[in-house]
Amino acid sequence: MRWGTCTLLVSATLLAGCAPPASQGGFDSDNPAAKLYAIRRAGRPGNAADIPKLVEQLDHDDPAVRLMAIKALDEITGTRLGYNPYDSSAQRRTAIERWQEAVRSEQFDASGQFIAADERG
């Protein structure tokens, strides 16, 4: 019985060390560290390609993910479109819809900067 317990503990310890590092995850990872790593890496000026994936994260149930996502979007686009990660879910929903519409109607220039309606012509 004692050897069985030791074997189980050693196996559990080894398996825990086998998880991939956060840098190998991504936006869709179940590993919270990997998701946050992907968000942080995406949040740099000129990274317009990740805007849709970041917008998806605004509806996440983890406030840390929402906070990191809006910070990344603000860094890329220069706006938050009224989104606050700590607002009620109804208030967040309204702001998320603004973000989704901005993505659908391509309200960003090639570098990802937000272009207001009056500036698009």
Short mmCIF file of all heavy atoms in Angstrom, two decimals, residues 54-60 66 80-84 88-104:
data_model
loop_
_atom_site.label_atom_id
_atom_site.label_comp_id
_atom_site.label_asym_id
_atom_site.label_seq_id
_atom_site.Cartn_x
_atom_site.Cartn_y
_atom_site.Cartn_z
N LEU A 54 -9.42 39.34 -29.66
CA LEU A 54 -9.45 40.10 -28.42
C LEU A 54 -10.88 40.52 -28.07
O LEU A 54 -11.27 40.48 -26.91
CB LEU A 54 -8.54 41.32 -28.52
CG LEU A 54 -7.05 41.00 -28.52
CD1 LEU A 54 -6.24 42.21 -28.96
CD2 LEU A 54 -6.59 40.51 -27.15
N VAL A 55 -11.66 40.89 -29.07
CA VAL A 55 -13.06 41.27 -28.84
C VAL A 55 -13.83 40.08 -28.26
O VAL A 55 -14.64 40.25 -27.35
CB VAL A 55 -13.71 41.80 -30.13
CG1 VAL A 55 -15.22 41.96 -29.97
CG2 VAL A 55 -13.08 43.12 -30.54
N GLU A 56 -13.54 38.87 -28.73
CA GLU A 56 -14.19 37.68 -28.17
C GLU A 56 -13.91 37.54 -26.67
O GLU A 56 -14.77 37.08 -25.92
CB GLU A 56 -13.69 36.42 -28.88
CG GLU A 56 -14.18 36.27 -30.30
CD GLU A 56 -13.55 35.07 -31.00
OE1 GLU A 56 -12.94 34.21 -30.33
OE2 GLU A 56 -13.68 34.99 -32.23
N GLN A 57 -12.73 37.93 -26.24
CA GLN A 57 -12.35 37.79 -24.84
C GLN A 57 -13.08 38.77 -23.92
O GLN A 57 -13.10 38.59 -22.70
CB GLN A 57 -10.83 37.95 -24.67
CG GLN A 57 -10.01 37.01 -25.52
CD GLN A 57 -10.39 35.55 -25.37
OE1 GLN A 57 -10.53 35.05 -24.26
NE2 GLN A 57 -10.57 34.87 -26.49
N LEU A 58 -13.68 39.82 -24.49
CA LEU A 58 -14.38 40.82 -23.68
C LEU A 58 -15.59 40.23 -22.96
O LEU A 58 -16.07 40.80 -21.98
CB LEU A 58 -14.83 42.00 -24.55
CG LEU A 58 -13.73 42.83 -25.18
CD1 LEU A 58 -14.34 43.91 -26.06
CD2 LEU A 58 -12.81 43.43 -24.12
N ASP A 59 -16.09 39.09 -23.43
CA ASP A 59 -17.27 38.47 -22.84
C ASP A 59 -16.89 37.30 -21.91
O ASP A 59 -17.74 36.55 -21.47
CB ASP A 59 -18.19 37.97 -23.95
CG ASP A 59 -19.61 37.77 -23.47
OD1 ASP A 59 -20.02 38.41 -22.49
OD2 ASP A 59 -20.33 36.95 -24.08
N HIS A 60 -15.62 37.16 -21.60
CA HIS A 60 -15.14 36.06 -20.76
C HIS A 60 -15.66 36.23 -19.33
O HIS A 60 -15.85 37.35 -18.86
CB HIS A 60 -13.61 36.04 -20.77
CG HIS A 60 -13.05 34.74 -20.35
ND1 HIS A 60 -12.86 34.39 -19.03
CD2 HIS A 60 -12.63 33.68 -21.08
CE1 HIS A 60 -12.35 33.20 -18.97
NE2 HIS A 60 -12.20 32.73 -20.20
N ARG A 66 -10.96 39.76 -19.13
CA ARG A 66 -11.62 40.94 -19.71
C ARG A 66 -10.75 42.17 -19.60
O ARG A 66 -10.62 42.95 -20.56
CB ARG A 66 -12.97 41.18 -19.02
CG ARG A 66 -13.97 40.07 -19.22
CD ARG A 66 -15.37 40.44 -18.78
NE ARG A 66 -15.49 40.98 -17.44
CZ ARG A 66 -15.91 40.31 -16.38
NH1 ARG A 66 -16.23 39.04 -16.48
NH2 ARG A 66 -16.02 40.91 -15.20
N ARG A 80 -11.50 52.39 -26.17
CA ARG A 80 -12.15 51.32 -25.41
C ARG A 80 -13.61 51.18 -25.82
O ARG A 80 -14.31 50.28 -25.36
CB ARG A 80 -12.05 51.58 -23.91
CG ARG A 80 -10.64 51.41 -23.38
CD ARG A 80 -10.54 51.67 -21.90
NE ARG A 80 -9.20 51.35 -21.45
CZ ARG A 80 -8.93 50.52 -20.45
NH1 ARG A 80 -9.91 49.95 -19.78
NH2 ARG A 80 -7.69 50.28 -20.11
N LEU A 81 -14.09 52.08 -26.65
CA LEU A 81 -15.49 52.10 -27.11
C LEU A 81 -16.48 51.96 -25.94
O LEU A 81 -17.51 51.32 -26.05
CB LEU A 81 -15.75 51.00 -28.15
CG LEU A 81 -15.04 51.17 -29.50
CD1 LEU A 81 -15.38 50.02 -30.42
CD2 LEU A 81 -15.40 52.50 -30.15
N GLY A 82 -16.14 52.59 -24.82
CA GLY A 82 -17.03 52.59 -23.68
C GLY A 82 -17.05 51.30 -22.88
O GLY A 82 -17.89 51.15 -21.98
N TYR A 83 -16.16 50.38 -23.16
CA TYR A 83 -16.14 49.10 -22.44
C TYR A 83 -15.42 49.23 -21.11
O TYR A 83 -14.34 49.80 -21.03
CB TYR A 83 -15.44 48.03 -23.30
CG TYR A 83 -15.40 46.68 -22.63
CD1 TYR A 83 -16.45 45.79 -22.78
CD2 TYR A 83 -14.32 46.30 -21.85
CE1 TYR A 83 -16.44 44.56 -22.16
CE2 TYR A 83 -14.30 45.07 -21.21
CZ TYR A 83 -15.36 44.20 -21.37
OH TYR A 83 -15.33 42.98 -20.76
N ASN A 84 -16.03 48.68 -20.06
CA ASN A 84 -15.42 48.61 -18.74
C ASN A 84 -15.55 47.16 -18.28
O ASN A 84 -16.67 46.65 -18.15
CB ASN A 84 -16.14 49.54 -17.76
CG ASN A 84 -15.52 49.50 -16.37
OD1 ASN A 84 -14.84 48.57 -15.99
ND2 ASN A 84 -15.80 50.54 -15.60
N SER A 88 -21.67 45.82 -15.23
CA SER A 88 -22.61 44.69 -15.19
C SER A 88 -22.58 43.98 -16.55
O SER A 88 -22.14 44.55 -17.55
CB SER A 88 -24.03 45.19 -14.91
OG SER A 88 -24.53 45.89 -16.04
N SER A 89 -23.06 42.78 -16.57
CA SER A 89 -23.03 42.02 -17.83
C SER A 89 -23.87 42.71 -18.90
O SER A 89 -23.50 42.70 -20.07
CB SER A 89 -23.44 40.58 -17.58
OG SER A 89 -24.71 40.28 -17.94
N ALA A 90 -24.97 43.36 -18.54
CA ALA A 90 -25.80 44.08 -19.52
C ALA A 90 -25.03 45.28 -20.10
O ALA A 90 -25.07 45.52 -21.31
CB ALA A 90 -27.10 44.55 -18.89
N GLN A 91 -24.34 46.02 -19.25
CA GLN A 91 -23.55 47.16 -19.73
C GLN A 91 -22.40 46.68 -20.60
O GLN A 91 -22.10 47.29 -21.63
CB GLN A 91 -23.02 47.97 -18.55
CG GLN A 91 -24.09 48.72 -17.79
CD GLN A 91 -23.55 49.30 -16.50
OE1 GLN A 91 -22.90 48.61 -15.70
NE2 GLN A 91 -23.82 50.58 -16.29
N ARG A 92 -21.76 45.60 -20.20
CA ARG A 92 -20.67 45.05 -21.01
C ARG A 92 -21.20 44.58 -22.35
O ARG A 92 -20.57 44.78 -23.38
CB ARG A 92 -19.97 43.89 -20.28
CG ARG A 92 -19.11 44.33 -19.14
CD ARG A 92 -18.15 43.25 -18.65
NE ARG A 92 -18.67 41.90 -18.66
CZ ARG A 92 -19.26 41.29 -17.63
NH1 ARG A 92 -19.39 41.93 -16.48
NH2 ARG A 92 -19.68 40.05 -17.73
N ARG A 93 -22.38 43.97 -22.37
CA ARG A 93 -22.98 43.46 -23.61
C ARG A 93 -23.13 44.60 -24.61
O ARG A 93 -22.81 44.45 -25.79
CB ARG A 93 -24.32 42.80 -23.30
CG ARG A 93 -25.16 42.42 -24.48
CD ARG A 93 -24.67 41.38 -25.46
NE ARG A 93 -23.72 40.41 -25.04
CZ ARG A 93 -22.70 39.98 -25.81
NH1 ARG A 93 -22.52 40.45 -27.02
NH2 ARG A 93 -21.86 39.09 -25.38
N THR A 94 -23.61 45.74 -24.18
CA THR A 94 -23.79 46.89 -25.07
C THR A 94 -22.45 47.32 -25.68
O THR A 94 -22.36 47.56 -26.88
CB THR A 94 -24.43 48.07 -24.31
OG1 THR A 94 -25.69 47.64 -23.79
CG2 THR A 94 -24.63 49.28 -25.20
N ALA A 95 -21.43 47.41 -24.85
CA ALA A 95 -20.10 47.80 -25.34
C ALA A 95 -19.51 46.72 -26.25
O ALA A 95 -18.86 47.04 -27.26
CB ALA A 95 -19.16 48.09 -24.17
N ILE A 96 -19.73 45.46 -25.92
CA ILE A 96 -19.22 44.36 -26.77
C ILE A 96 -19.87 44.43 -28.14
O ILE A 96 -19.21 44.23 -29.16
CB ILE A 96 -19.47 42.99 -26.10
CG1 ILE A 96 -18.56 42.84 -24.88
CG2 ILE A 96 -19.23 41.85 -27.08
CD1 ILE A 96 -18.92 41.66 -23.98
N GLU A 97 -21.16 44.74 -28.18
CA GLU A 97 -21.85 44.89 -29.47
C GLU A 97 -21.23 46.02 -30.29
O GLU A 97 -21.12 45.92 -31.51
CB GLU A 97 -23.35 45.08 -29.25
CG GLU A 97 -24.02 43.82 -28.78
CD GLU A 97 -25.46 44.02 -28.33
OE1 GLU A 97 -25.98 45.16 -28.37
OE2 GLU A 97 -26.07 43.01 -27.92
N ARG A 98 -20.82 47.11 -29.62
CA ARG A 98 -20.13 48.20 -30.34
C ARG A 98 -18.82 47.68 -30.94
O ARG A 98 -18.48 48.00 -32.07
CB ARG A 98 -19.84 49.37 -29.40
CG ARG A 98 -21.01 50.29 -29.18
CD ARG A 98 -20.59 51.60 -28.52
NE ARG A 98 -20.06 51.43 -27.17
CZ ARG A 98 -20.80 51.41 -26.07
NH1 ARG A 98 -22.11 51.53 -26.14
NH2 ARG A 98 -20.23 51.27 -24.89
N TRP A 99 -18.09 46.90 -30.14
CA TRP A 99 -16.83 46.33 -30.64
C TRP A 99 -17.08 45.38 -31.81
O TRP A 99 -16.36 45.41 -32.82
CB TRP A 99 -16.10 45.59 -29.52
CG TRP A 99 -15.24 46.50 -28.71
CD1 TRP A 99 -15.48 46.99 -27.46
CD2 TRP A 99 -13.98 47.06 -29.11
NE1 TRP A 99 -14.46 47.81 -27.06
CE2 TRP A 99 -13.52 47.86 -28.05
CE3 TRP A 99 -13.19 46.94 -30.26
CZ2 TRP A 99 -12.32 48.55 -28.10
CZ3 TRP A 99 -11.99 47.62 -30.30
CH2 TRP A 99 -11.57 48.42 -29.24
N GLN A 100 -18.09 44.54 -31.68
CA GLN A 100 -18.40 43.59 -32.76
C GLN A 100 -18.78 44.32 -34.04
O GLN A 100 -18.37 43.93 -35.13
CB GLN A 100 -19.50 42.62 -32.31
CG GLN A 100 -19.03 41.67 -31.24
CD GLN A 100 -20.17 40.90 -30.59
OE1 GLN A 100 -21.33 41.33 -30.58
NE2 GLN A 100 -19.84 39.75 -30.01
N GLU A 101 -19.56 45.38 -33.90
CA GLU A 101 -19.94 46.19 -35.07
C GLU A 101 -18.72 46.86 -35.68
O GLU A 101 -18.57 46.93 -36.90
CB GLU A 101 -21.00 47.23 -34.70
CG GLU A 101 -21.39 48.15 -35.83
CD GLU A 101 -21.90 47.44 -37.08
OE1 GLU A 101 -22.46 46.33 -36.97
OE2 GLU A 101 -21.72 47.98 -38.19
N ALA A 102 -17.82 47.35 -34.86
CA ALA A 102 -16.59 47.98 -35.36
C ALA A 102 -15.76 46.98 -36.15
O ALA A 102 -15.20 47.33 -37.19
CB ALA A 102 -15.78 48.56 -34.19
N VAL A 103 -15.71 45.75 -35.68
CA VAL A 103 -14.96 44.71 -36.42
C VAL A 103 -15.67 44.38 -37.72
O VAL A 103 -15.05 44.32 -38.78
CB VAL A 103 -14.78 43.43 -35.55
CG1 VAL A 103 -14.26 42.27 -36.37
CG2 VAL A 103 -13.85 43.72 -34.38
N ARG A 104 -17.00 44.18 -37.66
CA ARG A 104 -17.78 43.84 -38.87
C ARG A 104 -17.66 44.92 -39.94
O ARG A 104 -17.53 44.63 -41.12
CB ARG A 104 -19.25 43.66 -38.52
CG ARG A 104 -19.65 42.27 -38.17
CD ARG A 104 -21.16 42.08 -38.15
NE ARG A 104 -21.86 42.99 -37.24
CZ ARG A 104 -22.00 42.80 -35.93
NH1 ARG A 104 -21.50 41.74 -35.37
NH2 ARG A 104 -22.64 43.68 -35.19
#
